[in-house]
Amino acid sequence: MATVAENLERIRERMNAACSRAGRDPAAVRLVAVTKTVPTDRIREGVEAGLTLLGENYIQEARRKIEALEDLAVSWHFIGHLQSNKARVAAECCDWVHSVDRLRLAVELDRQARKRNRVIPVLLQVNVGDEQSKSGVSPDDLPKLFEAVAALSGLSVRGLMTLPPYFENAREVRPFFRLLRELLERLRGIAPRPGELTELSMGMSNDFEVAVEEGATLVRIGTALFGGRPAISP
Ligand SMILES: *Cc1c(COP(=O)(O)O)cnc(C)c1O
């Protein structure tokens, strides 16, 4: 198995190449290393190799790992579906939440953030492919959700996140990434503080280069960094 450092170097090269094709500054694209199912010693190896943003998508697993790795100077990004009754855990241990997709969750997260004198940076998750199997607000309902969440003082909306439909050929996903970027531009037109609305969390192991070409500022990469995951998560 390749070391995390070797995988990271290859990913950075590919991200840089995608940036130059698109005329973008590589410093404007940050890598969120998705550590779900990855054991803590391999996560440490990744942090030693230079990872600074870590992503988890099961809240109990996130809490366990964040406690076990609390000596590391990293930011934890929650990227998975979050039940409202788990908002407290996210507010306790996660730095960012990428997956705010409904008002009920936002209201609960805001309440938990204010209790702790926190302002949590969040992204609104959009279901760009209108897929039954995926969470996310529909593009049509996004402006209404944005206006409601932007009014909550415990949350700071920084941008949008998506999990687009899967294609064997990553190029076919391009229109969905482009749609997310257009939706962000439209929101900036109605945002009270458009300068804060800058993040596009899109792109995973199989399609991050296309996402970078279309404006991703946060790419979420697991398999390409840490290797394959077991078919069933622990
Ligand atoms: C697992 C996961 C990723 C990373 O997927 P890979 O294909 O392993 O890179 C990204 N985003 C979310 C929401 C995930 O659950």
Side-chain angles (χ1 to χ4, degrees):
M1 188 157 40
T3 66
V4 182
E6 286 163 352
N7 291 338
L8 177 59
E9 194 183 324
R10 219 160 303 138
I11 290 166
R12 289 223 193 279
E13 283 166 11
R14 291 168 59 189
M15 282 171 58
N16 290 346
C19 282
S20 44
R21 286 195 294 278
R24 299 188 60 204
D25 175 1
V29 189
R30 294 186 296 159
L31 171 63
V32 178
V34 178
T35 51
K36 62 186 180 208
T37 79
V38 177
T40 51
D41 50 352
R42 201 151 160 86
I43 299 176
R44 283 187 185 280
E45 187 192 329
V47 172
E48 275 160 31
L51 300 175
T52 55
L53 311 181
L54 305 181
E56 280 286 336
N57 74 334
Y58 301 104
I59 194 67
Q60 307 296 359
E61 182 182 349
R63 172 157 64 184
R64 250 195 343 268
K65 287 187 181 154
I66 293 166
E67 284 171 6
L69 296 168
E70 65 182 0
D71 56 303
L72 298 180
V74 294
S75 290
W76 289 93
H77 288 227
F78 190 74
I79 63 174
H81 182 71
L82 190 59
Q83 288 173 286
S84 301
N85 63 5
K86 298 286 167 21
R88 179 182 57 79
V89 184
E92 273 167 11
C93 66
C94 298
D95 297 293
W96 282 59
V97 177
H98 288 219
S99 43
V100 172
D101 60 353
R102 58 203 190 282
L103 187 56
R104 189 173 129 79
L105 170 62
V107 165
E108 187 55 23
L109 202 54
D110 169 64
R111 199 169 71 84
Q112 297 293 342
R114 283 185 292 109
K115 263 199 203 171
R116 293 166 179 77
N117 292 314
R118 284 193 67 190
V119 178
I120 304 179
V122 299
L123 307 178
L124 302 182
Q125 181 173 352
V126 186
N127 189 353
V128 287
D130 202 14
E131 294 172 279
Q132 289 286 322
S133 61
K134 290 197 176 136
S135 36
V137 62
S138 70
D140 285 348
D141 293 338
L142 173 65
K144 200 164 137 248
L145 178 65
F146 170 71
E147 289 190 318
V149 180
L152 303 172
S153 62
L155 304 182
S156 166
V157 185
R158 300 295 178 81
L160 303 177
M161 179 271 223
T162 198
L163 266 165
Y166 178 81
F167 294 97
E168 201 67 54
N169 180 345
R171 277 183 305 231
E172 291 177 53
V173 79
R174 189 181 296 280
F176 296 96
F177 290 147
R178 191 166 290 168
L179 172 60
L180 197 71
R181 189 183 66 204
E182 288 166 1
L183 291 170
L184 184 70
E185 278 161 18
R186 269 180 249 162
L187 284 191
R188 286 163 65 101
I190 62 167
R193 292 174 301 280
E196 288 179 11
L197 209 54
T198 54
E199 304 291 341
L200 285 170
S201 169
M202 58 188 195
M204 319 202 318
S205 292
N206 67 314
D207 56 16
F208 68 87
E209 288 152 299
V210 181
V212 168
E213 288 171 13
E214 292 302 326
T217 62
L218 292 162
V219 293
R220 308 179 309 267
I221 300 184
T223 322
L225 258 178
F226 297 107
R229 287 183 292 269
I232 293 167
S233 63

